[in-house]
Amino acid sequence: TILPLSGMLLFSAVSCDEKSDVLPDTNTNTGVTISHNINDAYGVMVALRTVTTQEVSGIQIPVEFNTGVATFPTAPGSSTYIDAGTVTLNGKNLDRQSNNSYLYDDLLDPLSFSTVSWSVSGANGIPAITYSEDKPFPLYNDAGSLPSSVTRSAGFTLSLSGQVSNADSVYVLIADSKGKMILKRYGPSPAEAVFTSAELSTLSSGTGIFEVVPWSYKTEDFNDKT
């Protein structure tokens, strides 16, 4: 039996790739990180809303965390990044990391995503950018129904009909405590996510994670750079 912490990630990006098939429909992996291989980008800006629910004494306790991430590669597809000056999301500064990626992680001054507005001062060939997203944030509306346990030998089907909105794609994953995961990728309005007993048998029993990840993206050009 896998006993996951139920959670959902809501992903909205101003990015630079129109490929929606970066990951296969079904993927068994050795790590829990979901990555998006964006190969034609001079800059990627991601607003990420995470709601994690944990069952305590039979009560679902939700915890929300909002953050922003931005990268400006030296060339499209590169994993080496440029210092692009000051980057803000909704008026809050993202910290530039040692590899020149940007991250917002101030728990004492949390982000709110009633709007998603980016500003980049620009430097080293990256133009100044001011951008406000008018696309609604993708939502999963039924986190309370995520299971507190999954029996591997029985398989599991999660109904998603009518529960996802404003998404371009939806990822659903189950991961064990040893870093193995089963990841499914669906279109914007999936009816259900199906995990077979054969798939679940590849995971170890014990505590794990179950995630529903609706996300959306949009491409924009600034000074002829995507």
Side-chain angles (χ1 to χ4, degrees), residues 15-16 40-43 72-76 82 123-127 129 219-226:
S15 68
C16 47
D40 60 354
Y42 288 92
F72 302 89
T74 55
I82 295 171
N124 300 310
I126 301 300
I129 297 170
T219 62
E220 298 286 342
D221 287 342
F222 299 91
N223 287 18
D224 296 323
K225 292 186 176 182
T226 302

mmCIF file of all heavy atoms in Angstrom, residues 15-16 40-43 72-76 82 123-127 129 219-226:
data_model
loop_
_atom_site.group_PDB
_atom_site.id
_atom_site.type_symbol
_atom_site.label_atom_id
_atom_site.label_comp_id
_atom_site.label_asym_id
_atom_site.label_seq_id
_atom_site.Cartn_x
_atom_site.Cartn_y
_atom_site.Cartn_z
ATOM 1 N N SER A 15 6.303 31.245 -21.316
ATOM 2 C CA SER A 15 7.478 30.512 -21.743
ATOM 3 C C SER A 15 7.673 30.635 -23.234
ATOM 4 O O SER A 15 7.198 31.576 -23.846
ATOM 5 C CB SER A 15 7.345 29.045 -21.324
ATOM 6 O OG SER A 15 6.309 28.424 -22.054
ATOM 7 N N CYS A 16 8.365 29.700 -23.812
ATOM 8 C CA CYS A 16 8.796 29.903 -25.190
ATOM 9 C C CYS A 16 8.820 28.609 -25.972
ATOM 10 O O CYS A 16 9.698 28.420 -26.797
ATOM 11 C CB CYS A 16 10.164 30.524 -25.184
ATOM 12 S SG CYS A 16 11.243 29.665 -24.047
ATOM 13 N N ASP A 40 13.655 26.653 -27.518
ATOM 14 C CA ASP A 40 13.786 27.846 -28.359
ATOM 15 C C ASP A 40 13.625 29.127 -27.544
ATOM 16 O O ASP A 40 13.215 30.153 -28.045
ATOM 17 C CB ASP A 40 12.779 27.803 -29.501
ATOM 18 C CG ASP A 40 11.333 27.746 -29.023
ATOM 19 O OD1 ASP A 40 11.124 27.620 -27.804
ATOM 20 O OD2 ASP A 40 10.428 27.833 -29.867
ATOM 21 N N ALA A 41 13.981 29.061 -26.267
ATOM 22 C CA ALA A 41 13.715 30.160 -25.348
ATOM 23 C C ALA A 41 14.929 31.019 -25.105
ATOM 24 O O ALA A 41 16.021 30.526 -24.872
ATOM 25 C CB ALA A 41 13.240 29.612 -24.012
ATOM 26 N N TYR A 42 14.737 32.325 -25.134
ATOM 27 C CA TYR A 42 15.716 33.258 -24.584
ATOM 28 C C TYR A 42 15.368 33.594 -23.133
ATOM 29 O O TYR A 42 16.163 34.211 -22.437
ATOM 30 C CB TYR A 42 15.772 34.530 -25.417
ATOM 31 C CG TYR A 42 16.424 34.338 -26.756
ATOM 32 C CD1 TYR A 42 15.680 34.023 -27.874
ATOM 33 C CD2 TYR A 42 17.810 34.471 -26.892
ATOM 34 C CE1 TYR A 42 16.285 33.842 -29.114
ATOM 35 C CE2 TYR A 42 18.430 34.290 -28.122
ATOM 36 C CZ TYR A 42 17.658 33.968 -29.233
ATOM 37 O OH TYR A 42 18.262 33.779 -30.451
ATOM 38 N N GLY A 43 14.186 33.215 -22.703
ATOM 39 C CA GLY A 43 13.793 33.431 -21.321
ATOM 40 C C GLY A 43 12.564 32.621 -20.993
ATOM 41 O O GLY A 43 11.692 32.418 -21.843
ATOM 42 N N PHE A 72 17.202 32.666 -17.995
ATOM 43 C CA PHE A 72 17.527 33.323 -19.252
ATOM 44 C C PHE A 72 18.802 32.665 -19.787
ATOM 45 O O PHE A 72 19.910 33.043 -19.394
ATOM 46 C CB PHE A 72 17.709 34.825 -19.044
ATOM 47 C CG PHE A 72 16.495 35.477 -18.447
ATOM 48 C CD1 PHE A 72 16.343 35.555 -17.065
ATOM 49 C CD2 PHE A 72 15.482 35.984 -19.257
ATOM 50 C CE1 PHE A 72 15.216 36.131 -16.501
ATOM 51 C CE2 PHE A 72 14.352 36.566 -18.700
ATOM 52 C CZ PHE A 72 14.212 36.640 -17.320
ATOM 53 N N PRO A 73 18.672 31.646 -20.641
ATOM 54 C CA PRO A 73 19.846 30.884 -21.077
ATOM 55 C C PRO A 73 20.763 31.685 -21.994
ATOM 56 O O PRO A 73 20.341 32.638 -22.667
ATOM 57 C CB PRO A 73 19.225 29.694 -21.823
ATOM 58 C CG PRO A 73 17.873 30.167 -22.246
ATOM 59 C CD PRO A 73 17.413 31.104 -21.176
ATOM 60 N N THR A 74 22.025 31.292 -22.011
ATOM 61 C CA THR A 74 23.005 31.939 -22.886
ATOM 62 C C THR A 74 22.648 31.731 -24.354
ATOM 63 O O THR A 74 23.001 32.554 -25.210
ATOM 64 C CB THR A 74 24.404 31.385 -22.621
ATOM 65 O OG1 THR A 74 24.373 29.951 -22.751
ATOM 66 C CG2 THR A 74 24.874 31.749 -21.224
ATOM 67 N N ALA A 75 21.962 30.640 -24.657
ATOM 68 C CA ALA A 75 21.446 30.348 -25.991
ATOM 69 C C ALA A 75 20.229 29.462 -25.802
ATOM 70 O O ALA A 75 20.137 28.736 -24.808
ATOM 71 C CB ALA A 75 22.498 29.654 -26.859
ATOM 72 N N PRO A 76 19.260 29.519 -26.708
ATOM 73 C CA PRO A 76 18.067 28.689 -26.545
ATOM 74 C C PRO A 76 18.426 27.221 -26.329
ATOM 75 O O PRO A 76 19.228 26.641 -27.062
ATOM 76 C CB PRO A 76 17.316 28.895 -27.868
ATOM 77 C CG PRO A 76 17.711 30.269 -28.298
ATOM 78 C CD PRO A 76 19.162 30.387 -27.906
ATOM 79 N N ILE A 82 22.054 33.554 -17.941
ATOM 80 C CA ILE A 82 22.568 34.919 -17.963
ATOM 81 C C ILE A 82 21.952 35.720 -16.820
ATOM 82 O O ILE A 82 20.787 35.534 -16.464
ATOM 83 C CB ILE A 82 22.204 35.577 -19.314
ATOM 84 C CG1 ILE A 82 22.914 34.880 -20.469
ATOM 85 C CG2 ILE A 82 22.523 37.075 -19.316
ATOM 86 C CD1 ILE A 82 22.427 35.341 -21.835
ATOM 87 N N ALA A 123 19.511 42.932 -19.061
ATOM 88 C CA ALA A 123 20.969 43.062 -19.008
ATOM 89 C C ALA A 123 21.565 41.960 -19.870
ATOM 90 O O ALA A 123 20.917 40.936 -20.127
ATOM 91 C CB ALA A 123 21.494 42.948 -17.563
ATOM 92 N N ASN A 124 22.800 42.187 -20.328
ATOM 93 C CA ASN A 124 23.554 41.150 -21.043
ATOM 94 C C ASN A 124 22.796 40.576 -22.239
ATOM 95 O O ASN A 124 22.799 39.367 -22.482
ATOM 96 C CB ASN A 124 23.950 40.027 -20.077
ATOM 97 C CG ASN A 124 24.821 40.503 -18.934
ATOM 98 O OD1 ASN A 124 25.817 41.180 -19.153
ATOM 99 N ND2 ASN A 124 24.424 40.167 -17.715
ATOM 100 N N GLY A 125 22.162 41.469 -23.001
ATOM 101 C CA GLY A 125 21.446 41.048 -24.195
ATOM 102 C C GLY A 125 20.001 40.666 -23.971
ATOM 103 O O GLY A 125 19.268 40.444 -24.936
ATOM 104 N N ILE A 126 19.558 40.589 -22.721
ATOM 105 C CA ILE A 126 18.152 40.318 -22.415
ATOM 106 C C ILE A 126 17.421 41.657 -22.345
ATOM 107 O O ILE A 126 17.811 42.542 -21.581
ATOM 108 C CB ILE A 126 17.995 39.557 -21.087
ATOM 109 C CG1 ILE A 126 18.747 38.226 -21.144
ATOM 110 C CG2 ILE A 126 16.522 39.338 -20.764
ATOM 111 C CD1 ILE A 126 18.273 37.282 -22.237
ATOM 112 N N PRO A 127 16.374 41.853 -23.143
ATOM 113 C CA PRO A 127 15.686 43.151 -23.155
ATOM 114 C C PRO A 127 14.870 43.370 -21.885
ATOM 115 O O PRO A 127 14.551 42.418 -21.156
ATOM 116 C CB PRO A 127 14.761 43.034 -24.374
ATOM 117 C CG PRO A 127 14.494 41.568 -24.502
ATOM 118 C CD PRO A 127 15.781 40.892 -24.093
ATOM 119 N N ILE A 129 11.581 43.756 -19.907
ATOM 120 C CA ILE A 129 10.301 43.083 -20.136
ATOM 121 C C ILE A 129 9.303 43.538 -19.085
ATOM 122 O O ILE A 129 9.605 43.552 -17.889
ATOM 123 C CB ILE A 129 10.456 41.546 -20.054
ATOM 124 C CG1 ILE A 129 11.391 41.039 -21.161
ATOM 125 C CG2 ILE A 129 9.098 40.848 -20.138
ATOM 126 C CD1 ILE A 129 11.793 39.579 -20.994
ATOM 127 N N THR A 219 3.514 31.845 -25.328
ATOM 128 C CA THR A 219 4.745 32.402 -25.881
ATOM 129 C C THR A 219 4.551 33.880 -26.191
ATOM 130 O O THR A 219 3.483 34.299 -26.627
ATOM 131 C CB THR A 219 5.168 31.669 -27.162
ATOM 132 O OG1 THR A 219 4.144 31.839 -28.151
ATOM 133 C CG2 THR A 219 5.364 30.181 -26.905
ATOM 134 N N GLU A 220 5.587 34.669 -25.926
ATOM 135 C CA GLU A 220 5.582 36.097 -26.223
ATOM 136 C C GLU A 220 6.935 36.480 -26.795
ATOM 137 O O GLU A 220 7.955 35.868 -26.466
ATOM 138 C CB GLU A 220 5.311 36.919 -24.951
ATOM 139 C CG GLU A 220 3.971 36.673 -24.304
ATOM 140 C CD GLU A 220 2.819 37.303 -25.068
ATOM 141 O OE1 GLU A 220 3.089 38.203 -25.901
ATOM 142 O OE2 GLU A 220 1.660 36.913 -24.841
ATOM 143 N N ASP A 221 6.964 37.495 -27.644
ATOM 144 C CA ASP A 221 8.215 37.986 -28.225
ATOM 145 C C ASP A 221 8.528 39.377 -27.694
ATOM 146 O O ASP A 221 7.663 40.250 -27.645
ATOM 147 C CB ASP A 221 8.129 38.046 -29.750
ATOM 148 C CG ASP A 221 8.176 36.665 -30.397
ATOM 149 O OD1 ASP A 221 8.619 35.732 -29.709
ATOM 150 O OD2 ASP A 221 7.756 36.542 -31.550
ATOM 151 N N PHE A 222 9.806 39.581 -27.315
ATOM 152 C CA PHE A 222 10.316 40.883 -26.870
ATOM 153 C C PHE A 222 11.605 41.153 -27.627
ATOM 154 O O PHE A 222 12.557 40.368 -27.532
ATOM 155 C CB PHE A 222 10.571 40.892 -25.358
ATOM 156 C CG PHE A 222 9.326 40.650 -24.538
ATOM 157 C CD1 PHE A 222 8.972 39.359 -24.162
ATOM 158 C CD2 PHE A 222 8.508 41.699 -24.161
ATOM 159 C CE1 PHE A 222 7.834 39.139 -23.414
ATOM 160 C CE2 PHE A 222 7.374 41.487 -23.409
ATOM 161 C CZ PHE A 222 7.018 40.195 -23.046
ATOM 162 N N ASN A 223 11.630 42.231 -28.404
ATOM 163 C CA ASN A 223 12.805 42.556 -29.221
ATOM 164 C C ASN A 223 13.240 41.370 -30.073
ATOM 165 O O ASN A 223 14.419 41.023 -30.154
ATOM 166 C CB ASN A 223 13.967 43.020 -28.328
ATOM 167 C CG ASN A 223 13.751 44.416 -27.774
ATOM 168 O OD1 ASN A 223 12.635 44.922 -27.763
ATOM 169 N ND2 ASN A 223 14.816 45.023 -27.298
ATOM 170 N N ASP A 224 12.255 40.710 -30.693
ATOM 171 C CA ASP A 224 12.492 39.570 -31.577
ATOM 172 C C ASP A 224 13.052 38.355 -30.859
ATOM 173 O O ASP A 224 13.618 37.463 -31.496
ATOM 174 C CB ASP A 224 13.421 39.950 -32.741
ATOM 175 C CG ASP A 224 12.788 41.002 -33.648
ATOM 176 O OD1 ASP A 224 11.563 40.929 -33.855
ATOM 177 O OD2 ASP A 224 13.525 41.866 -34.149
ATOM 178 N N LYS A 225 12.946 38.315 -29.537
ATOM 179 C CA LYS A 225 13.362 37.145 -28.774
ATOM 180 C C LYS A 225 12.151 36.537 -28.089
ATOM 181 O O LYS A 225 11.336 37.244 -27.503
ATOM 182 C CB LYS A 225 14.422 37.518 -27.745
ATOM 183 C CG LYS A 225 15.757 37.927 -28.371
ATOM 184 C CD LYS A 225 16.822 38.160 -27.327
ATOM 185 C CE LYS A 225 18.158 38.471 -27.979
ATOM 186 N NZ LYS A 225 19.230 38.658 -26.989
ATOM 187 N N THR A 226 12.043 35.225 -28.180
ATOM 188 C CA THR A 226 10.908 34.509 -27.596
ATOM 189 C C THR A 226 11.156 34.260 -26.122
ATOM 190 O O THR A 226 12.223 33.768 -25.755
ATOM 191 C CB THR A 226 10.722 33.165 -28.305
ATOM 192 O OG1 THR A 226 10.523 33.429 -29.690
ATOM 193 C CG2 THR A 226 9.504 32.419 -27.763
#
